[in-house]
């Protein structure tokens, strides 16, 4: 490597609620010479960051414009409603959309559910961020629908959350610029998909050998068993007919006289 060349590196973007720790650990084990840098970005800004080259790949929330971005959906998150601990709905194991009909439900500008209309009554103004909406919920002004990971991220002692089946859900995907699918991007895709370090992806298959050659190769290195001649070696007494017995040393019989 010349002085002007820089060592390879990989930049991974991730949106709030996504925890890339497991994949980063595997990367560091497999590619210790290639540093991985994490880039925190909001869900709304993640696609533009990838297009601008601010990261090689990133965890995003769907839907996104896939015109020039590739995306592999990974998992779907449960949607929960964030409520004060003393709210009536806190007594239930889960909440239905109908249960929210009479409550104000905030729809922040950085919403990750990707829906224009949510259950409940809309607020007069949309909070700028999910964090702002959390503060309003804590103040008892309204409720908030978010993916479960965001509810955990913004955890407060005075708040809790309950799942809301049948409401819009958030899908997390791994995305990268389609025209910049580098070897390092392929390596990270393999890690996320669970491919092992000995995966044959991208490696030429071992050519199959004819059975005859394979058998010969297996027998070539074998040593003959004790007491048995090696194949092809001359046997003792081979001058006589096959299967003949060697005569015992000693007296020979006298020839018979013809009468």
């Amino acid at each position: 490597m010349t002085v002007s060349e820089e060592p390879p590196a990989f930049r991974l973007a991730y949106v709030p609620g996504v925890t890339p720790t497991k994949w980063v650990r595997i990367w560091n084990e497999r590619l210790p010479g290639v540093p991985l840098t994490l880039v925190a970005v909001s869900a709304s800004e993640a696609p533009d960051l990838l297009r601008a080259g601010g990261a090689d790949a990133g965890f995003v929330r769907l839907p996104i414009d896939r015109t020039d971005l590739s995306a592999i959906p990974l998992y779907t998150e449960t949607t929960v409603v964030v409520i004060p601990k003393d709210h009536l709905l806190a007594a239930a194991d889960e909440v239905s959309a109908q249960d929210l009909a009479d409550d104000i439900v905030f729809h922040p500008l950085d919403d990750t559910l990707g829906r224009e209309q949510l259950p409940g009554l809309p607020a007069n103004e949309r909070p700028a961020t999910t964090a702002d909406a959390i503060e309003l919920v804590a103040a008892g002004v309204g409720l908030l629908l978010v993916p479960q990971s965001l509810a955990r991220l913004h955890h407060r002692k005075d708040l809790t959350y309950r799942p809301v089946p049948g409401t819009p859900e958030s899908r997390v995907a791994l995305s990268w610029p389609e025209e910049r699918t580098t070897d390092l991007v392929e390596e990270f895709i393999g890690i996320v998909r669970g491919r092992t370090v000995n995966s044959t992806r991208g490696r030429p298959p071992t050519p199959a050998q004819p059975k005859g050659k394979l058998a010969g190769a297996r027998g070539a290195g074998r040593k003959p068993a004790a007491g048995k001649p090696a194949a092809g070696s001359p046997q003792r007494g081979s001058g006589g007919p096959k299967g003949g017995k060697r005569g015992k040393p000693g007296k020979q019989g006298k020839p018979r006289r013809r009468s």
Side-chain angles (χ1 to χ4, degrees):
M1 181 176 67
T2 63
V3 178
S4 60
E5 292 179 341
E6 295 182 359
F10 189 75
R11 297 162 300 167
L12 178 66
Y14 68 102
V15 298
V18 175
T19 306
T21 307
K22 176 183 68 174
W23 298 302
V24 172
R25 175 181 55 79
I26 297 174
W27 176 279
N28 291 334
E29 291 173 354
R30 294 187 186 180
L31 292 91
V34 182
L36 187 152
T37 303
L38 292 174
V39 181
V41 61
S42 68
S44 60
E45 296 173 340
D48 289 338
L49 176 75
L50 293 174
R51 292 187 180 95
D56 300 291
F59 294 105
V60 302
R61 291 190 181 274
L62 300 177
I64 60 172
D65 181 6
R66 300 197 193 186
T67 302
D68 51 356
L69 294 177
S70 297
I72 300 175
L74 301 178
Y75 58 89
T76 300
E77 286 199 63
T78 300
T79 298
V80 300
V81 58
V82 181
I83 55 180
K85 281 191 173 180
D86 58 358
H87 196 282
L88 291 175
L89 295 177
D93 293 332
E94 62 181 31
V95 177
S96 67
Q98 289 75 17
D99 294 332
L100 305 175
D102 297 330
D103 286 284
I104 292 176
V105 177
F106 296 113
H107 193 185
L109 295 176
D110 64 352
D111 171 63
T112 58
L113 298 178
R115 298 294 187 273
E116 290 298 326
Q117 293 184 347
L118 297 175
L121 302 173
N124 293 331
E125 294 183 4
R126 296 180 64 180
T129 64
T130 298
D132 293 337
I134 291 288
E135 293 293 335
L136 293 173
V137 174
V141 180
L143 311 180
L144 176 65
L145 285 173
V146 290
Q148 184 170 314
S149 65
L150 288 184
R152 292 174 177 171
L153 179 65
H154 296 284
H155 171 72
R156 291 175 52 125
K157 293 183 179 180
D158 54 347
L159 299 179
T160 186
Y161 60 85
R162 295 291 183 270
V164 188
T167 53
E169 295 176 320
S170 176
R171 293 185 298 158
V172 175
L174 176 65
S175 181
W176 67 94
E178 187 174 354
E179 295 183 354
R180 297 197 295 273
T181 308
T182 64
D183 291 341
L184 291 181
V185 170
E186 289 283 6
E187 189 72 31
F188 192 76
I189 292 172
I191 290 174
V192 171
R193 284 184 161 175
R195 289 200 294 265
T196 65
V197 68
N198 295 322
S199 171
T200 57
R201 179 179 175 85
R203 300 179 185 176
T206 303
Q209 297 184 8
K211 292 183 178 180
K213 292 184 178 181
L214 184 60
R218 289 178 178 176
R222 294 182 180 176
K223 295 182 178 180
K228 293 184 179 181
S233 61
Q235 301 181 9
R236 294 181 179 179
S238 58
K242 185 176 181 180
K245 297 182 180 179
R246 298 181 60 192
K248 294 183 180 180
K251 299 180 180 180
Q252 295 182 359
K254 297 181 179 181
R256 295 180 180 181
R257 296 180 180 179
R258 295 181 180 178
S259 54

